[in-house]
Amino acid sequence: MPRGKAMRNPNGYGSVVKLSGNRRNPFEVRVNTKLNEWGYPVYDVLGRFPERQSASIALAKYNETPYDLSNAKITFAEVYEKWFEKKYINGKRKYSASSIGCTKGAYRKCEKLHNRTFKEIRTPEMQAILDDYTLSHAYMEHIKNLFNQLYAYALENDIVQKDYSKFARITKPDDDKKGVPFTKEEIRLLWEHVDKVPFVDTVLIYIYSGWRCAELLTMPTADIDIQAWTFKGGMKTESSKNRIVPIHTLIRPYVALRLSEGHNSLFAYDGKPVTYETRYLPLFRNALAQSGITTPHTPHDCRHTFTSLLDSAGANEVCIDRLVGHASKSITRKIYTHKDIEELREAIELIKKEP
């Protein structure tokens, strides 16, 4: 072979072509070359490079893991639409309206990324959204989860070669430790009005189960077992996900009644599942006001009330951690046995109704 002449690539491999003229990046990488109906060659341009060596390296990397070049310019919004369709529209699992609503809300908060080419997005752009402290910690978790799922979809479909979402972090401190527990008198008022005021039953369900508001609002009814009397669900951390919480005997009638209504979510209003900000929060506040409770409680206060009641009743610390989904060095098993569930049931039944 004459010196200086490039070795011919195998058929179908692609080629590096030096373009004419004085160009900054004169070496063009062409792939998927074929003949059109008139017999002229057509191809996709992988990119242009300043020297032949970098162009040849790019071509070699492409041939190691070929991908659809039409994905090179796909935007964040387009990836979201394709992923959403796959998961929520064509997927086998049915998701509650609340779950879908959380996803759509998280997507809206990413408006700055909507028109960005997905493969060009980097960690700092996602981090800037997660650093918006006007958002609640829970909202940030939905956004971070959306980033993770979109990148998993993009990797699966060769849209990107690297997951930059795993480097983005929620920097805002978790507000899980803040809150004002309900007093004994306020709990007594709730029981007094549970059959008189709409949605008071939901407040008591939260108080006697310890779920985060979003966890129970998005929990599929299939994960609520009234034969074994257990809830199953959770989000946020590994210790919090897929935890089992026995249903306290005091709230069983209200859980069973709501399930009998046949909705996809335990909490429904006018036949539709409720979302936190637009539906549940006003209903929660109205339920407290009509029950004579003037303290400005939030739904998250129910969770703090639950842990406070367990602690006051002398429940085992490990059981408390398992029930609320907190990490504990004493918890070594992630799989719940029958004995585990019965121990949790005994712990939760230590909470008694206020006279």
Side-chain angles (χ1 to χ4, degrees):
M1 184 178 68
R3 181 177 296 179
K5 186 174 181 180
M7 181 181 295
R8 180 180 177 83
N9 291 322
N11 289 336
Y13 185 86
S15 59
V16 175
V17 177
K18 189 177 188 302
L19 303 176
S20 61
N22 185 19
R23 301 169 184 263
R24 180 177 298 177
N25 297 301
F27 293 93
E28 184 174 84
V29 179
R30 300 174 178 177
V31 296
N32 304 327
T33 302
K34 49 189 174 293
L35 298 180
N36 64 16
E37 57 185 308
W38 296 285
Y40 292 101
V42 292
Y43 46 82
D44 294 323
V45 176
L46 182 65
R48 291 176 180 171
F49 302 85
E51 65 280 323
R52 184 178 293 277
Q53 183 181 12
S54 58
S56 298
I57 291 173
L59 180 58
K61 287 184 177 179
Y62 170 80
N63 278 283
E64 286 178 5
T65 54
Y67 56 91
D68 185 353
L69 289 181
S70 64
N71 286 334
K73 296 183 179 180
I74 191 170
T75 64
F76 183 94
E78 290 169 331
V79 171
Y80 169 80
E81 290 170 2
K82 291 176 180 291
W83 165 80
F84 188 94
E85 182 177 9
K86 178 184 177 182
K87 179 175 181 178
Y88 290 113
I89 299 176
N90 297 327
K92 294 181 180 180
R93 178 179 171 183
K94 299 300 180 182
Y95 292 86
S96 68
S98 295
S99 178
I100 297 173
C102 288
T103 297
K104 290 182 176 179
Y107 172 70
R108 286 194 294 270
K109 297 299 181 182
C110 302
E111 184 178 3
K112 293 180 180 179
L113 300 179
H114 288 184
N115 296 322
R116 293 278 286 111
T117 299
F118 196 89
K119 67 178 299 183
E120 295 177 356
I121 296 172
R122 295 295 182 264
T123 304
E125 294 171 88
M126 291 180 279
Q127 191 63 57
I129 294 174
L130 292 174
D131 286 343
D132 181 0
Y133 274 30
T134 63
L135 301 175
S136 68
H137 194 279
Y139 224 128
M140 290 180 179
E141 288 169 345
H142 290 307
I143 294 171
K144 179 65 168 71
N145 187 47
L146 177 63
F147 288 155
N148 293 344
Q149 293 190 71
L150 291 185
Y151 266 89
Y153 175 86
L155 283 168
E156 180 184 351
N157 291 276
D158 295 323
I159 297 171
V160 296
Q161 304 301 312
K162 183 176 180 179
D163 181 2
Y164 287 97
S165 71
K166 66 182 180 181
F167 303 111
R169 297 286 184 268
I170 297 174
T171 56
K172 184 178 183 179
D174 193 348
D175 53 9
D176 202 41
K177 295 183 179 179
K178 300 178 182 178
V180 180
F182 285 77
T183 65
K184 291 183 178 180
E185 174 60 20
E186 288 172 333
I187 296 174
R188 186 190 64 77
L189 285 172
L190 290 171
W191 280 115
E192 185 179 310
H193 292 84
V194 66
D195 297 317
K196 305 173 184 177
V197 177
F199 270 74
V200 168
D201 64 321
T202 69
V203 183
L204 289 167
I205 290 173
Y206 273 118
I207 287 177
Y208 285 83
S209 66
W211 292 101
R212 297 180 180 88
C213 190
E215 290 176 328
L216 203 49
L217 285 178
T218 60
M219 183 181 294
T221 53
D223 290 339
I224 304 174
D225 187 344
I226 59 173
Q227 301 301 318
W229 289 111
T230 58
F231 295 108
K232 181 180 179 181
M235 55 179 61
K236 289 172 68 81
T237 63
E238 286 303 314
S239 57
S240 184
K241 294 177 181 177
N242 296 319
R243 71 185 189 275
I244 295 175
V245 176
I247 300 176
H248 197 295
T249 52
L250 290 173
I251 59 173
R252 287 180 185 179
Y254 304 101
V255 173
L257 180 60
R258 284 191 167 272
L259 286 177
S260 70
E261 295 174 353
H263 302 299
N264 293 329
S265 174
L266 182 63
F267 299 161
Y269 182 72
D270 287 342
K272 298 179 181 179
V274 297
T275 55
Y276 178 72
E277 292 181 352
T278 57
R279 284 179 176 263
Y280 187 70
L281 193 56
L283 293 167
F284 174 88
R285 289 170 175 165
N286 183 64
L288 297 193
Q290 290 194 42
S291 299
I293 298 174
T294 57
T295 304
H297 286 294
T298 67
H300 201 71
D301 289 349
C302 299
R303 178 172 166 83
H304 296 290
T305 306
F306 178 70
T307 56
S308 178
L309 291 173
L310 285 172
D311 184 63
S312 297
N316 180 286
E317 185 176 336
V318 174
C319 286
I320 296 176
D321 286 339
R322 290 200 88 147
L323 287 167
V324 298
H326 284 167
S328 172
K329 293 181 180 179
S330 302
I331 299 175
T332 57
R333 300 188 310 274
K334 292 185 178 180
I335 300 174
Y336 286 80
T337 65
H338 178 73
K339 182 180 178 181
D340 292 329
I341 296 173
E342 288 310 308
E343 287 180 349
L344 295 179
R345 196 182 302 280
E346 289 176 10
I348 211 168
E349 291 295 337
L350 291 173
I351 304 175
K352 307 300 181 183
K353 184 176 180 180
E354 295 300 324

